[in-house]
Amino acid sequence: MVSFELSEEQQKLVAKAKEFADGNIRPVARQYDLSCEFPWPVVQKAYDEGIINGAIPKQYGGAGHSSFDGCLVSEELGAACSGIGICIDANNLALTPLLVGGSDDLKKRVFGHLIENRGLAAFCLTEPEAGSDAGAVQTTAVRKGDVYVINGHKRFITNGKQAMYHTVFCNTDPGRGARGMSAIVVPADAPGVKIGRELPKMGQRASCPVEIDYNEVEVPVSNVIGKENQGFLIAMKTFNRTRSGVASAAVGMAREALDVAKKWALNRKQFGQPIASFQAIGFMFAEMATQVTAARFLVWNAAILTDQEKEVGTYSAMAKYFATDVAMKVATDCVQIMGGEGYSQDNIVEKIMRDAKLSQIYEGTNQVQRLVIAKNTLK
Ligand SMILES: Cc1cc2nc3c(=O)[nH]c(=O)nc-3n(C[C@H](O)[C@H](O)[C@H](O)COP(=O)(O)OP(=O)(O)OC[C@H]3O[C@@H](n4cnc5c(N)ncnc54)[C@H](O)[C@@H]3O)c2cc1C
């Protein structure tokens, strides 16, 4: 029997995440969007409340959420402000490579130190020549005795400036392309790590991705996640697990825009009646409500398959592209429904529209998700 009812415990988790978002994120969402400052107080509060590090098992000091529970939390954070939400959720992306491939020793060492210090981590894959083509990284890690020496340049790294640890994808066997990649944990304070320019951007502006240079950075060989040259596989397994998180935040954005526009449409009168009574507007709500529901079920499907440790790549790609496309479409339609007020910064839907755009791009563009689905469907 399949049930779409949340358990009592899950309902409590949603209530807790909503309370956190309403109390700590929603009131400052616009402020951080305008200032582009990093929301440290909110991140620290997320530590106080056990909202961060959901993917990390309790035995390592994390919140120990299942993938499904993580999605319930991400939807609430995304609804309140996806920019602040990603500052909190980026730890899950950066630390999942250790969960899928790291030794117990490495997990204990990194998670223990990070969580004790209430710190952040960054996932460092993208480079100027390696965007959608993630296997094309040019950052090198050369083994010299007991250390790797890392040289290279990363860009668009979320929380890169704030992180204590970087999960860096490097080339350890240059002749082998994606098969010669390794994932290596780099402490941010290692000599030779240099944080570069912040990316000025359209949406999710509380989060400030940066460029990072690695110049002759030495890390112990024991910092390799899994085995040498398994990095590409680890990155793909990571995305399979984390894409439902991006998708659930997108469901949150769409849900929020819909709620705001609904209140508006029921109150705003033109031609002597609420605009909600015009069929053209009503049909837009019908489509948006259907799409948000469908997106949430695709997210839940991917999260449940992840928790059951089933093959989830196709389904997490479906959830990611569908939910983020829905967020973009719904936010755009909600701006339209609210007319000039929707376009104004007096209302939150214009921010959601800018925020939603990014979710179609990071953690693999939606074209890349379609490539994954097409490849697996046409096998
Ligand atoms: C704000 C922000 C935060 C980010 N955070 C991180 C982070 O924390 N860590 C990290 O490692 N990266 C991060 N990224 C990088 C992000 O994952 C990449 O931007 C994304 O994967 C796309 O790469 P690209 O920007 O180089 O675009 P490109 O790969 O150059 O793609 C450009 C366009 O071409 C399309 N395209 C490319 N190849 C194909 C193809 N084969 N078929 C069809 N279309 C194709 C793409 O879909 C896209 O529309 C972040 C990016 C942004 C903007």
Side-chain angles (χ1 to χ4, degrees), residues 136-148:
V137 301
Q138 293 175 5
T139 294
T140 54
V142 177
R143 185 162 177 172
K144 287 190 179 157
D146 290 342
V147 297
Y148 279 101

Side-chain angles (χ1 to χ4, degrees), residues 56-354:
I56 311 304
K58 283 192 174 150
Q59 71 196 89
Y60 297 111
H65 293 152
S66 64
S67 182
F68 187 85
D69 289 354
C71 287
L72 298 178
V73 174
S74 295
E75 182 177 327
E76 297 308 320
L77 304 190
C81 174
S82 56
I84 297 177
I86 199 68
C87 295
I88 295 170
D89 273 348
N91 265 20
N92 288 338
L93 172 63
L95 299 173
T96 296
L98 283 107
L99 293 175
V100 301
S103 67
D104 194 45
D105 269 1
L106 189 60
K107 284 189 272 196
K108 275 189 187 137
R109 179 153 57 88
V110 174
F111 296 159
H113 186 233
L114 184 96
I115 292 170
E116 202 181 299
N117 287 282
R118 300 157 70 88
L120 295 175
F123 181 89
C124 307
L125 173 62
T126 304
E127 300 180 1
E129 304 306 324
S132 300
D133 187 5
V137 301
Q138 293 175 5
T139 294
T140 54
V142 177
R143 185 162 177 172
K144 287 190 179 157
D146 290 342
V147 297
Y148 279 101
V149 181
I150 301 176
N151 281 287
H153 177 78
K154 297 287 178 183
R155 70 167 178 171
F156 301 159
I157 305 303
T158 300
N159 290 1
K161 190 174 172 184
Q162 294 77 20
M164 286 178 69
Y165 283 102
H166 300 173
T167 309
V168 185
F169 291 83
C170 307
N171 207 316
T172 32
D173 195 346
R176 296 183 66 210
R179 292 208 177 106
M181 261 169 73
S182 300
I184 304 179
V185 176
V186 178
D189 60 1
V193 176
K194 190 168 167 245
I195 305 301
R197 174 178 175 265
E198 280 184 24
L199 180 76
K201 60 184 171 55
M202 179 197 291
Q204 302 196 12
R205 285 153 57 101
S207 149
C208 334
V210 288
E211 300 188 15
I212 306 179
D213 280 310
Y214 299 92
N215 296 310
E216 300 289 313
V217 177
E218 291 190 10
V219 293
V221 167
S222 58
N223 279 23
V224 171
I225 302 174
K227 293 199 179 111
E228 197 179 81
N229 298 336
Q230 284 185 337
F232 188 75
L233 192 64
I234 287 172
M236 295 306 115
K237 282 186 174 173
T238 295
F239 288 142
N240 287 348
R241 286 171 75 146
T242 57
R243 277 174 180 153
S244 52
V246 174
S248 53
V251 172
M253 286 186 243
R255 185 192 88 190
E256 180 76 7
L258 188 56
D259 281 354
V260 171
K262 180 175 129 183
K263 285 187 195 114
W264 176 266
L266 289 169
N267 285 308
R268 170 70 175 162
K269 285 193 178 143
Q270 285 294 277
F271 302 97
Q273 48 190 313
I275 61 167
S277 68
F278 301 133
Q279 196 179 54
I281 300 284
F283 278 12
M284 284 169 88
F285 278 102
E287 280 174 28
M288 293 191 294
T290 307
Q291 288 188 328
V292 172
T293 305
R296 185 179 291 115
F297 287 158
L298 271 179
V299 170
W300 285 9
N301 177 55
I304 289 167
L305 291 174
T306 304
D307 288 333
Q308 293 173 343
E309 298 191 9
K310 299 246 171 77
E311 190 50 63
V312 71
T314 311
Y315 298 101
S316 55
M318 285 178 182
K320 199 273 179 182
Y321 106 66
F322 189 81
T324 59
D325 280 0
V326 164
M328 191 67 228
K329 173 82 169 74
V330 167
T332 309
D333 284 353
C334 289
V335 168
Q336 190 68 22
I337 286 166
M338 292 178 67
E341 288 289 342
Y343 196 72
S344 146
Q345 290 198 340
D346 288 344
N347 290 290
I348 208 71
V349 289
E350 67 79 31
K351 172 180 174 296
I352 299 175
M353 183 175 156
R354 288 185 284 111

Side-chain angles (χ1 to χ4, degrees), residues 45-60:
K45 194 80 182 153
Y47 259 105
D48 294 340
E49 305 288 329
I51 290 291
I52 196 166
N53 299 324
I56 311 304
K58 283 192 174 150
Q59 71 196 89
Y60 297 111

Side-chain angles (χ1 to χ4, degrees), residues 131-132 239 243 246 320-321 324 358-369:
S132 300
F239 288 142
R243 277 174 180 153
V246 174
K320 199 273 179 182
Y321 106 66
T324 59
L358 178 54
S359 65
Q360 294 178 301
I361 294 171
Y362 60 24
E363 282 199 52
T365 67
N366 284 1
Q367 285 77 19
V368 166
Q369 308 308 317

